[in-house]
Amino acid sequence: MNECVIGGYSLRGTSHIANGLPKQDYVIVKRRRGLVVCVVADGLGSHRNSAIGSKCVCEAVLTAANLFRRGITGREQVFLQMVSSIWNCMIYPYSTGECGSTCLLAVRFPDGDIFIAQLGDGAIAYEYDGKIEILSVKDDDFFNLTQSIHSSQISDWKWKLFRNVREPFRLYMHTDGVNIRSDRAEEFFHAFFDEIDSRKNRSASEIIRGMLLDIDKSTSDDDMSFACMTINTSRG
């Protein structure tokens, strides 16, 4: 039987606490009837109901994953369109223009396929077949702009499908409040998953919470959200 570990945590930023603002990030990590779902989202600070938008986009991914549980191969774009459509329904009665949010997701389907996708800022780092990769590196031309679910097109998403995964797979994702230098990404990746592997009586979510609380707040006063997934198919 495959071993699966998932975890996630979302921490309200010190600047949001100081200014009486709600946490605009949201995280969902779920295992449900053969599905494994991880999602993190960061509501746009300029949108007054972005906290609703980020929560709804995470729930929209979970709903879409259940609708596509028989498989996603060849329907990846339809899946992303479904996420957007469900999100539009969930945010009612608020408008799309006040609920903008980024979205980073990973879904392992019962057939063994793993689908990862990203819209907007943040990062998804994964290890498969002995290599550590980052799904999307932000183009400097974007400066402080980011894509959001409220105005996105399919071409704005970055995604990758891993077919019928039979090798160990590890992944983490985070919103842009978590600042991991690109030149230290591989070092961080190994250190983080070494901690997950030796977690003893702590859950992955507890480890992530401790990590976020320990981050130097002088480097980031924004909300911080982080999630991870490991699939070890070599056991059982």
Side-chain angles (χ1 to χ4, degrees):
M1 187 172 182
N2 296 339
E3 181 187 21
C4 170
V5 175
I6 55 174
Y9 195 80
S10 186
L11 186 69
R12 188 181 176 200
T14 55
S15 65
H16 287 199
I17 295 172
N19 294 303
L21 298 174
K23 179 167 64 65
Q24 295 166 336
D25 279 12
Y26 203 80
V27 171
I28 282 181
V29 289
K30 292 282 187 181
R31 276 188 296 241
R32 180 181 291 180
R33 294 183 299 162
L35 285 171
V36 183
V37 179
C38 293
V39 199
V40 300
D42 180 2
L44 301 189
S46 59
H47 289 207
R48 62 180 177 176
N49 286 310
S50 60
I52 293 170
S54 62
K55 179 181 180 180
C56 287
V57 77
C58 289
E59 292 177 345
V61 171
L62 186 60
T63 301
N66 276 284
L67 291 172
F68 280 72
R69 62 180 305 108
R70 292 185 178 179
I72 193 175
T73 303
R75 302 190 296 164
E76 297 92 334
Q77 294 189 31
V78 179
F79 177 89
L80 296 175
Q81 290 169 338
M82 180 67 72
V83 169
S84 181
S85 296
I86 294 170
W87 176 80
N88 268 280
C89 294
M90 285 183 167
I91 63 170
Y92 182 81
Y94 303 106
S95 70
T96 60
E98 57 185 321
C99 297
S101 175
T102 66
C103 180
L104 295 85
L105 65 93
V107 182
R108 182 185 187 271
F109 292 91
D111 63 4
D113 288 356
I114 296 176
F115 181 63
I116 65 176
Q118 176 174 346
L119 177 68
D121 291 341
I124 301 178
Y126 59 90
E127 182 179 38
Y128 184 58
D129 198 23
K131 295 183 293 186
I132 296 174
E133 305 281 354
I134 297 176
L135 178 63
S136 177
V137 177
K138 186 174 179 180
D139 190 328
D140 289 340
D141 290 340
F142 284 119
F143 293 101
N144 291 324
L145 300 178
T146 185
Q147 287 93 3
S148 162
I149 190 73
H150 84 286
S151 61
S152 66
Q153 301 176 351
I154 290 299
S155 59
D156 293 328
W157 288 86
K158 306 296 183 184
W159 73 84
K160 188 175 181 67
L161 177 66
F162 302 87
R163 295 291 311 278
N164 194 23
V165 173
R166 297 302 181 196
E167 300 294 329
F169 183 94
R170 303 193 295 181
L171 169 148
Y172 71 70
M173 61 179 70
H174 59 80
T175 55
D176 68 349
V178 181
N179 184 17
I180 300 172
R181 284 171 36 187
S182 58
D183 62 338
R184 299 191 63 185
E186 187 167 343
E187 176 186 349
F188 174 86
F189 194 100
H190 288 301
F192 173 75
F193 281 106
D194 284 348
E195 184 73 11
I196 294 295
D197 292 342
S198 63
R199 65 190 185 279
K200 299 178 181 178
N201 294 324
R202 294 177 298 164
S203 70
S205 294
E206 288 172 329
I207 291 173
I208 291 169
R209 177 179 181 273
M211 178 188 73
L212 295 181
L213 288 171
D214 285 343
I215 289 177
D216 184 357
K217 299 306 183 290
S218 67
T219 64
S220 178
D221 60 0
D222 196 3
D223 294 341
M224 294 185 287
S225 298
F226 194 102
C228 73
M229 171 194 296
T230 71
I231 307 291
N232 190 348
T233 58
S234 64
R235 299 183 182 180

